[in-house]
Coordinates of all heavy atoms in Angstrom, one line a residue:
P51 N 107.5 103.7 104.8 CA 108.9 103.6 105.0 C 109.3 102.1 104.8 O 108.4 101.2 104.7 CB 109.1 103.9 106.5 CG 107.8 104.5 107.0 CD 106.8 104.2 106.0
N52 N 110.6 101.9 104.7 CA 111.1 100.5 104.6 C 110.6 99.7 105.7 O 110.6 100.1 107.0 CB 112.7 100.5 104.6 CG 113.4 101.1 103.5 OD1 114.2 102.0 103.7 ND2 112.9 100.9 102.3
G53 N 110.2 98.4 105.4 CA 109.7 97.6 106.5 C 108.4 97.8 106.9 O 107.7 97.2 107.8
A54 N 107.5 98.8 106.3 CA 106.2 99.1 106.7 C 105.1 98.0 106.4 O 104.2 97.9 107.1 CB 105.7 100.4 106.0
G55 N 105.5 97.2 105.5 CA 104.6 96.0 105.1 C 104.0 96.0 103.7 O 103.2 95.3 103.4
K56 N 104.5 96.9 102.9 CA 104.0 97.1 101.5 C 104.2 95.9 100.7 O 103.3 95.5 100.0 CB 104.8 98.3 100.7 CG 104.7 99.6 101.4 CD 105.5 100.7 100.9 CE 106.9 100.5 100.6 NZ 107.7 100.5 101.9
T57 N 105.4 95.3 100.7 CA 105.6 94.1 99.8 C 104.7 92.9 100.4 O 104.1 92.2 99.6 CB 107.0 93.7 99.8 OG1 107.8 94.8 99.2 CG2 107.3 92.4 99.0
T58 N 104.7 92.8 101.7 CA 103.8 91.8 102.3 C 102.4 91.9 101.8 O 101.7 91.0 101.5 CB 103.9 91.9 103.9 OG1 105.3 91.8 104.2 CG2 103.1 90.8 104.6
T60 N 101.2 93.4 99.2 CA 101.2 93.3 97.8 C 101.2 91.7 97.5 O 100.4 91.3 96.6 CB 102.4 93.9 97.0 OG1 102.4 95.3 97.4 CG2 102.2 93.8 95.5
D174 N 105.2 96.1 92.6 CA 106.0 96.5 93.6 C 107.2 97.4 93.2 O 108.2 96.8 92.7 CB 106.4 95.3 94.5 CG 106.8 95.6 95.9 OD1 106.6 96.8 96.5 OD2 107.4 94.8 96.6
E175 N 107.3 98.6 93.5 CA 108.4 99.5 93.1 C 108.8 99.3 91.6 O 109.8 98.9 91.3 CB 109.6 99.2 94.0 CG 109.2 99.6 95.4 CD 110.5 99.5 96.3 OE1 111.4 100.1 95.9 OE2 110.5 99.0 97.4
T205 N 103.3 100.1 94.6 CA 104.1 100.7 95.8 C 105.3 101.5 95.2 O 105.7 101.2 94.1 CB 104.7 99.6 96.6 OG1 105.9 99.1 96.2 CG2 103.8 98.5 96.9
H207 N 108.6 104.4 96.4 CA 109.2 105.4 97.3 C 109.4 106.7 96.7 O 110.0 107.7 97.4 CB 110.7 104.8 97.8 CG 110.5 103.7 98.6 ND1 110.0 103.8 100.0 CD2 110.9 102.4 98.6 CE1 110.1 102.6 100.6 NE2 110.6 101.7 99.8
Ligands
MG402 MG1 109.1 96.2 99.7

Side-chain angles (χ1 to χ4, degrees):
N52 295 132
K56 300 178 301 297
T57 298
T58 304
T60 308
D174 195 15
E175 301 190 46
T205 77
H207 286 295

